[in-house]
Amino acid sequence: MRLLFALGDAGVYCRKAVEENPMVSENPYQSPLGSQTRGDAGFTAQWAGFGVRLLAYLIDILPITLATGAVFYFFLGFDETIQRYFNERGDINARIEFLTQRNQIRDLSFMIYIVYCALTECSAMQATIGKRLLGLRVTDNNGNGLSIGRSFGRNFAKIVSYIPLGLGFIWVIWSKRKRSWHDMIAKTLVIKK
């Protein structure tokens, strides 16, 4: 994981660094954004909390899951599996087949989501569509855009946040800088624009 971040930091940034960051002020404890807290190197920002991040996640994941489910339903026989599951309630094989395909849809949707996030968060937008709609962006600790390596590292680290019952995502509630586990691993922030 550290290798990905090292390669990303040494690699080419997806977007040019902003010469004058409006988020950085002369006084590191004051910012034009209002109620702020201080980050590294004088960078100040208003961090995004759990609720707004959850809403952004839902805006992004629902279309991906619906599209993946539609592919399975129309092209990979999930429609027949669902019918068998509901028509033959006592058949254990129908239940196993249904749960297997359902889990495949869930896992594939999450992997597509991770790649989608990695590509959009290292772009000039610095955010997924859901985050952008809610006025959020993903930065490093100094307010700069992410390199492609750091972005992929951050998003693959979401697997670590996901595994223990999603505790790594919920950690935002208790974290001083509203950081999830994958943010801590990648040394990133989700901030309000």
Side-chain angles (χ1 to χ4, degrees), residues 51-87:
V52 71
R53 289 176 71 163
L54 176 62
L55 185 57
Y57 168 76
L58 292 174
I59 290 169
D60 291 325
I61 196 70
L62 288 176
I64 292 170
T65 303
L66 291 173
T68 305
V71 168
F72 271 75
Y73 186 85
F74 292 112
F75 302 109
L76 300 176
F78 192 53
D79 58 334
E80 294 170 8
T81 303
I82 290 173
Q83 286 179 349
R84 232 178 104 211
Y85 175 72
F86 286 115
N87 292 337

Side-chain angles (χ1 to χ4, degrees), residues 11-154:
V12 178
Y13 280 95
C14 290
R15 69 174 194 82
K16 292 182 180 178
V18 178
E19 296 264 335
E20 293 181 17
N21 190 337
M23 305 289 280
V24 178
S25 66
E26 297 270 333
N27 180 349
Y29 297 99
Q30 251 181 339
S31 175
L33 291 179
S35 62
Q36 312 300 328
T37 40
R38 183 170 183 247
D40 296 347
F43 170 69
T44 57
Q46 187 175 14
W47 299 311
F50 178 75
V52 71
R53 289 176 71 163
L54 176 62
L55 185 57
Y57 168 76
L58 292 174
I59 290 169
D60 291 325
I61 196 70
L62 288 176
I64 292 170
T65 303
L66 291 173
T68 305
V71 168
F72 271 75
Y73 186 85
F74 292 112
F75 302 109
L76 300 176
F78 192 53
D79 58 334
E80 294 170 8
T81 303
I82 290 173
Q83 286 179 349
R84 232 178 104 211
Y85 175 72
F86 286 115
N87 292 337
E88 302 170 21
R89 296 293 287 179
D91 185 4
I92 191 73
N93 290 329
R95 182 172 173 79
I96 290 170
E97 188 177 346
F98 172 76
L99 293 175
T100 300
Q101 283 192 328
R102 185 206 61 185
N103 291 345
Q104 289 171 346
I105 292 168
R106 180 198 61 211
D107 296 343
L108 182 58
S109 296
F110 190 67
M111 292 310 294
I112 292 169
Y113 169 75
I114 285 175
V115 172
Y116 156 75
C117 288
L119 293 174
T120 56
E121 290 172 0
C122 74
S123 71
M125 290 189 332
Q126 289 183 282
T128 63
I129 292 170
K131 285 183 179 84
R132 188 168 172 88
L133 288 173
L134 298 174
L136 307 178
R137 66 185 177 117
V138 181
T139 69
D140 67 6
N141 286 338
N142 298 318
N144 301 316
L146 303 184
S147 66
I148 194 164
R150 179 170 281 186
S151 184
F152 270 93
R154 175 187 187 272

